[in-house]
Amino acid sequence: MDDRRLVKASKYLSRHLRHDPARIGIELDEHGWVEVDVLLKALAAQRFRLSLEELEAVVAGNDKQRFALRDGKIRANQGHSVEVDLGLAPADPPQVLFHGTTGGFLDAIRAEGLKPMNRHDVHLSPDHETAIRVGSRRGKPVVLVVDAARMAEQGHLFHRSDNGVWLAAAVPAWAITFP
Ligand code: HQG
Protein backbone atom coordinates (compact mmCIF):
# COMPACT_ATOMS: atom_id res chain seq x y z
CA MET A 1 0.00 0.00 0.00
CA ASP A 2 1.57 3.32 -0.97
CA ASP A 3 1.88 6.26 1.43
CA ARG A 4 -0.83 8.30 -0.24
CA ARG A 5 -3.36 5.53 0.17
CA LEU A 6 -2.25 5.01 3.78
CA VAL A 7 -2.78 8.69 4.61
CA LYS A 8 -6.10 8.76 2.79
CA ALA A 9 -7.29 5.69 4.68
CA SER A 10 -6.08 7.15 8.00
CA LYS A 11 -8.02 10.39 7.41
CA TYR A 12 -11.09 8.48 6.33
CA LEU A 13 -10.94 6.28 9.43
CA SER A 14 -10.33 9.27 11.72
CA ARG A 15 -13.38 11.02 10.36
CA HIS A 16 -15.67 8.06 10.93
CA LEU A 17 -14.18 6.60 14.12
CA ARG A 18 -13.89 9.97 15.88
CA HIS A 19 -16.51 12.28 14.50
CA ASP A 20 -19.14 10.94 12.17
CA PRO A 21 -19.76 7.17 12.30
CA ALA A 22 -23.37 7.69 11.19
CA ARG A 23 -22.18 9.05 7.86
CA ILE A 24 -21.19 5.52 6.81
CA GLY A 25 -23.94 3.85 8.81
CA ILE A 26 -21.86 2.40 11.65
CA GLU A 27 -22.30 2.69 15.40
CA LEU A 28 -19.48 2.83 17.92
CA ASP A 29 -19.96 1.11 21.26
CA GLU A 30 -19.71 3.17 24.43
CA HIS A 31 -15.93 2.76 24.43
CA GLY A 32 -15.53 3.77 20.81
CA TRP A 33 -15.07 0.28 19.29
CA VAL A 34 -16.66 -1.11 16.14
CA GLU A 35 -16.33 -4.62 14.68
CA VAL A 36 -13.71 -4.66 11.95
CA ASP A 37 -16.04 -6.66 9.66
CA VAL A 38 -18.79 -4.08 10.07
CA LEU A 39 -16.37 -1.25 9.35
CA LEU A 40 -14.90 -2.89 6.25
CA LYS A 41 -18.39 -3.59 4.87
CA ALA A 42 -19.44 0.00 5.52
CA LEU A 43 -16.30 1.28 3.80
CA ALA A 44 -16.88 -1.00 0.82
CA ALA A 45 -20.41 0.37 0.53
CA GLN A 46 -18.80 3.83 0.20
CA ARG A 47 -16.52 2.47 -2.53
CA PHE A 48 -13.57 2.63 -0.16
CA ARG A 49 -12.53 -0.99 -0.40
CA LEU A 50 -9.90 -1.99 2.17
CA SER A 51 -8.82 -5.56 2.85
CA LEU A 52 -8.21 -6.69 6.41
CA GLU A 53 -4.47 -6.75 5.66
CA GLU A 54 -4.60 -3.16 4.43
CA LEU A 55 -6.52 -2.08 7.52
CA GLU A 56 -3.89 -3.75 9.70
CA ALA A 57 -1.21 -1.92 7.73
CA VAL A 58 -2.97 1.42 8.29
CA VAL A 59 -3.13 0.76 12.03
CA ALA A 60 0.44 -0.53 12.35
CA GLY A 61 2.01 1.99 9.99
CA ASN A 62 0.20 5.05 11.32
CA ASP A 63 2.59 7.88 12.15
CA LYS A 64 0.73 8.72 15.34
CA GLN A 65 -0.72 5.34 16.27
CA ARG A 66 -4.16 6.84 15.89
CA PHE A 67 -6.01 3.50 15.99
CA ALA A 68 -6.11 0.35 18.08
CA LEU A 69 -7.16 -3.14 16.96
CA ARG A 70 -8.27 -5.61 19.61
CA ASP A 71 -10.43 -8.75 19.56
CA GLY A 72 -11.66 -8.13 16.02
CA LYS A 73 -12.60 -4.54 16.82
CA ILE A 74 -11.05 -1.18 16.01
CA ARG A 75 -11.24 2.28 17.60
CA ALA A 76 -9.51 5.64 17.46
CA ASN A 77 -7.11 6.14 20.37
CA GLN A 78 -8.10 9.77 20.93
CA GLY A 79 -9.46 12.89 19.26
CA HIS A 80 -13.17 12.07 19.36
CA SER A 81 -15.95 14.59 19.14
CA VAL A 82 -18.66 11.91 19.55
CA GLU A 83 -19.39 10.81 23.09
CA VAL A 84 -17.18 7.83 24.01
CA ASP A 85 -15.62 6.62 27.22
CA LEU A 86 -12.10 5.51 26.39
CA GLY A 87 -11.87 3.92 29.82
CA LEU A 88 -8.44 5.43 30.49
CA ALA A 89 -7.29 5.48 34.10
CA PRO A 90 -6.14 8.85 35.43
CA ALA A 91 -2.36 9.10 35.23
CA ASP A 92 0.30 11.21 36.92
CA PRO A 93 1.47 13.72 34.34
CA PRO A 94 5.08 14.79 33.88
CA GLN A 95 6.11 18.13 35.44
CA VAL A 96 5.31 20.04 32.25
CA LEU A 97 3.34 19.34 29.12
CA PHE A 98 3.15 21.32 25.90
CA HIS A 99 0.36 22.63 23.73
CA GLY A 100 0.91 23.64 20.14
CA THR A 101 -1.40 26.33 18.83
CA THR A 102 -1.20 29.47 16.72
CA GLY A 103 -1.08 33.22 17.37
CA GLY A 104 -4.69 33.98 16.55
CA PHE A 105 -5.95 31.99 19.53
CA LEU A 106 -3.64 33.50 22.14
CA ASP A 107 -5.85 36.34 23.37
CA ALA A 108 -8.72 33.96 23.99
CA ILE A 109 -6.45 31.40 25.65
CA ARG A 110 -4.96 34.09 27.91
CA ALA A 111 -8.46 35.07 28.97
CA GLU A 112 -10.04 31.67 29.47
CA GLY A 113 -7.30 29.05 29.39
CA LEU A 114 -7.33 26.06 27.05
CA LYS A 115 -10.71 24.55 26.29
CA PRO A 116 -11.45 21.30 24.47
CA MET A 117 -13.29 23.15 21.68
CA ASN A 118 -14.89 20.46 19.48
CA ARG A 119 -13.12 17.51 21.11
CA HIS A 120 -13.62 15.81 24.45
CA ASP A 121 -10.42 17.03 25.98
CA VAL A 122 -7.60 19.47 25.57
CA HIS A 123 -4.75 17.64 23.85
CA LEU A 124 -1.30 18.10 25.35
CA SER A 125 2.01 16.88 23.96
CA PRO A 126 4.76 15.27 26.02
CA ASP A 127 7.46 17.24 24.23
CA HIS A 128 8.10 20.59 22.57
CA GLU A 129 8.78 19.11 19.14
CA THR A 130 5.44 17.32 18.98
CA ALA A 131 3.67 20.51 20.04
CA ILE A 132 5.33 22.40 17.18
CA ARG A 133 3.96 19.81 14.77
CA VAL A 134 0.45 20.12 16.24
CA GLY A 135 0.56 23.94 16.07
CA SER A 136 1.89 23.89 12.51
CA ARG A 137 -1.38 22.38 11.31
CA ARG A 138 -2.96 25.80 11.78
CA GLY A 139 -0.23 28.20 10.74
CA LYS A 140 2.88 29.53 12.44
CA PRO A 141 3.16 27.39 15.57
CA VAL A 142 3.23 28.82 19.10
CA VAL A 143 4.07 26.44 21.94
CA LEU A 144 2.52 26.95 25.36
CA VAL A 145 4.07 25.29 28.40
CA VAL A 146 1.60 23.82 30.87
CA ASP A 147 2.44 23.36 34.54
CA ALA A 148 0.91 19.90 34.73
CA ALA A 149 2.37 19.07 38.14
CA ARG A 150 0.73 22.13 39.72
CA MET A 151 -2.56 21.35 38.03
CA ALA A 152 -2.45 17.76 39.32
CA GLU A 153 -1.73 19.09 42.82
CA GLN A 154 -4.84 21.23 42.52
CA GLY A 155 -6.95 18.22 41.63
CA HIS A 156 -7.07 18.36 37.83
CA LEU A 157 -7.20 14.89 36.30
CA PHE A 158 -4.96 13.81 33.44
CA HIS A 159 -5.30 10.82 31.19
CA ARG A 160 -2.79 9.45 28.74
CA SER A 161 -4.16 7.96 25.54
CA ASP A 162 -2.70 4.75 24.13
CA ASN A 163 -0.70 6.79 21.65
CA GLY A 164 0.95 9.07 24.19
CA VAL A 165 -1.26 12.15 23.95
CA TRP A 166 -2.07 13.69 27.35
CA LEU A 167 -5.68 14.71 27.88
CA ALA A 168 -7.21 17.19 30.32
CA ALA A 169 -10.74 18.53 30.57
CA ALA A 170 -9.40 22.09 30.52
CA VAL A 171 -6.22 24.01 31.33
CA PRO A 172 -6.67 27.16 33.42
CA ALA A 173 -4.78 30.26 32.29
CA TRP A 174 -2.71 30.34 35.51
CA ALA A 175 -1.09 27.02 34.54
CA ILE A 176 0.10 28.29 31.15
CA THR A 177 3.41 29.96 30.35
CA PHE A 178 3.15 31.96 27.14
CA PRO A 179 6.25 32.48 24.97
C1 HQG B 1 -7.39 26.16 20.35
C2 HQG B 1 -4.19 16.23 15.95
C3 HQG B 1 -9.54 29.80 21.47
C4 HQG B 1 -6.29 25.14 20.49
C5 HQG B 1 -3.06 16.89 16.70
C6 HQG B 1 -6.31 24.50 19.11
C7 HQG B 1 -3.45 16.75 18.14
C8 HQG B 1 -8.58 27.77 21.82
C9 HQG B 1 -7.76 24.61 18.69
C10 HQG B 1 -4.96 16.64 18.10
C11 HQG B 1 -8.93 27.82 23.19
C12 HQG B 1 -8.51 23.30 18.79
C13 HQG B 1 -5.60 17.83 18.74
C14 HQG B 1 -9.61 28.96 23.65
C15 HQG B 1 -7.89 25.97 22.83
N1 HQG B 1 -9.90 29.92 22.76
N2 HQG B 1 -8.88 28.74 20.98
N3 HQG B 1 -9.98 29.10 24.93
N4 HQG B 1 -8.49 26.70 23.79
N5 HQG B 1 -7.94 26.61 21.64
O1 HQG B 1 -7.71 20.37 16.51
O2 HQG B 1 -4.83 20.45 20.12
O3 HQG B 1 -3.77 14.28 13.51
O4 HQG B 1 -9.37 20.46 18.43
O5 HQG B 1 -5.06 25.75 20.81
O6 HQG B 1 -1.82 16.32 16.39
O7 HQG B 1 -4.89 21.44 17.76
O8 HQG B 1 -6.04 14.49 14.48
O9 HQG B 1 -6.96 20.54 18.93
O10 HQG B 1 -5.49 25.18 18.21
O11 HQG B 1 -2.91 15.67 18.81
O12 HQG B 1 -4.52 12.65 15.21
O13 HQG B 1 -8.37 25.53 19.58
O14 HQG B 1 -5.30 16.55 16.74
O15 HQG B 1 -4.03 14.86 15.89
O16 HQG B 1 -8.04 22.47 17.76
O17 HQG B 1 -5.17 19.03 18.09
P1 HQG B 1 -8.09 20.90 17.85
P2 HQG B 1 -5.39 20.45 18.76
P3 HQG B 1 -4.63 14.02 14.70
Side-chain angles (χ1 to χ4, degrees):
M1 197 178 193
D2 66 32
D3 280 359
R4 266 187 59 201
R5 187 161 153 84
L6 265 181
V7 170
K8 191 173 168 208
S10 171
K11 289 195 168 157
Y12 203 78
L13 290 179
S14 288
R15 173 168 182 187
H16 299 107
L17 295 177
R18 289 170 168 178
H19 307 298
D20 200 3
R23 183 174 172 274
I24 57 169
I26 60 169
E27 266 180 53
L28 310 182
D29 75 13
E30 56 182 323
H31 304 299
W33 298 99
V34 60
E35 299 279 348
V36 167
D37 287 353
V38 170
L39 174 69
L40 293 180
K41 280 202 189 103
L43 294 183
Q46 301 293 318
R47 304 222 185 90
F48 199 137
R49 232 166 246 291
L50 274 188
S51 67
L52 178 59
E53 292 68 32
E54 285 177 313
L55 184 72
E56 285 169 353
V58 173
V59 173
N62 199 258
D63 57 343
K64 286 180 63 188
Q65 298 298 307
R66 289 182 178 86
F67 312 104
L69 274 173
R70 199 190 299 156
D71 301 334
K73 295 180 181 174
I74 184 169
R75 78 173 178 186
N77 278 325
Q78 36 68 229
H80 299 82
S81 56
V82 294
E83 191 56 50
V84 293
D85 170 11
L86 291 175
L88 303 171
D92 271 341
Q95 199 75 26
V96 293
L97 285 166
F98 302 87
H99 179 82
T101 187
T102 195
F105 294 138
L106 290 184
D107 284 347
I109 295 171
R110 272 198 190 89
E112 54 191 18
L114 288 167
K115 296 169 126 184
M117 311 309 276
N118 289 329
R119 307 197 194 235
H120 280 192
D121 301 279
V122 175
H123 285 222
L124 300 167
S125 307
D127 56 78
H128 195 267
E129 199 189 320
T130 307
I132 288 186
R133 266 207 303 281
V134 173
S136 302
R137 290 159 44 247
R138 308 189 173 279
K140 190 163 177 280
V142 174
V143 174
L144 311 180
V145 182
V146 171
D147 190 343
R150 246 337 256 303
M151 279 179 64
E153 265 168 42
Q154 310 265 325
H156 289 264
L157 288 184
F158 289 82
H159 297 88
R160 188 178 170 278
S161 71
D162 289 343
N163 59 344
V165 176
W166 284 88
L167 306 168
V171 175
W174 60 256
I176 302 171
T177 305
F178 293 84

